[in-house]
Amino acid sequence: MAGISLPGTTLLVLCGTPGCGKSTFASRYFRETMIVSSDQCRFLVSDSETNMAASREAFKLFRFTIERRLSLGRFTVADSTAITRQSRGELLRIGRKYGFNITLLIFNIPEDVCLARNAGRERRVVRSVIAKMRQMLQRTLRDAHNEGFDNVYIITEGDLNNPAFRINIR
Ligand code: ATP
Ligand code: MG
């Protein structure tokens, strides 16, 4: 894939296992303020990006912030694993409410690459969590086309390493 072209009123939902490179990808292509990250929300409500006990409140802030941006017509990137149908459904509901284009970007990156990247960073996720989420990702790759997204794109390792890959916001 050479790139993706998206309308300005897009909610771009990133989806993939921990360590696949979602946040790195987002910071390469989008302005900081466009990216709403569930880990950043965890940090804001609990002083820790990894505090799983704070997930409930963190995801409320995640959805609240996304909705506030959409109410102002702003292009928004939802940076979370979005690996469950329910989590994607919540984002679809918010996007629909504001008449946004809702595009799903699934990171289909080999499990060993995710594990190696996870091992090489400061904030590490338990290996078994990545393996379990890989199975959920397979289900997502199969089902996401029928969930109501306006577009579903699959990002591969080749796309991540392609310096010519572009995202155009129209
Ligand atoms: P999480 O869901 O846990 O937030 P993530 O999908 O956001 O994970 P990142 O934090 O972006 O993953 O990346 C994981 C690690 O892999 C980081 O250390 C990052 O620097 C490295 N990484 C990301 N993308 C690439 C790439 N294309 N090539 C090499 N290393 C990469
Ligand atoms: Mg991340």
Side-chain angles (χ1 to χ4, degrees), residues 136-168:
M136 296 164 84
L137 186 78
Q138 292 305 134
R139 200 176 313 148
T140 304
L141 285 163
R142 200 187 57 210
D143 298 343
H145 294 275
N146 302 315
E147 289 181 4
F149 289 96
D150 296 297
N151 303 98
V152 178
Y153 294 106
I154 315 290
I155 295 286
T156 64
E157 181 65 1
D159 296 325
L160 294 185
N161 295 325
N162 177 4
F165 187 89
R166 295 276 178 272
I167 295 188
N168 171 44

Side-chain angles (χ1 to χ4, degrees), residues 30-48:
F30 305 106
R31 287 165 60 184
E32 194 183 349
T33 47
M34 292 174 169
I35 307 164
V36 184
S37 146
S38 56
D39 287 331
Q40 177 68 10
C41 290
R42 260 199 201 93
F43 184 56
L44 287 170
V45 298
S46 78
D47 309 310
S48 159

Side-chain angles (χ1 to χ4, degrees), residues 5-12 34 69-77 94-96 98-103 150-151 168-170:
S5 177
L6 299 165
T9 49
T10 291
L11 172 59
L12 183 64
M34 292 174 169
R69 287 186 57 82
L70 268 50
S71 76
L72 294 172
R74 307 308 300 176
F75 183 97
T76 298
V77 181
I94 298 170
R96 286 269 167 274
Y98 294 92
F100 263 52
N101 169 279
I102 316 168
T103 293
D150 296 297
N151 303 98
N168 171 44
I169 303 175
R170 332 193 263 273

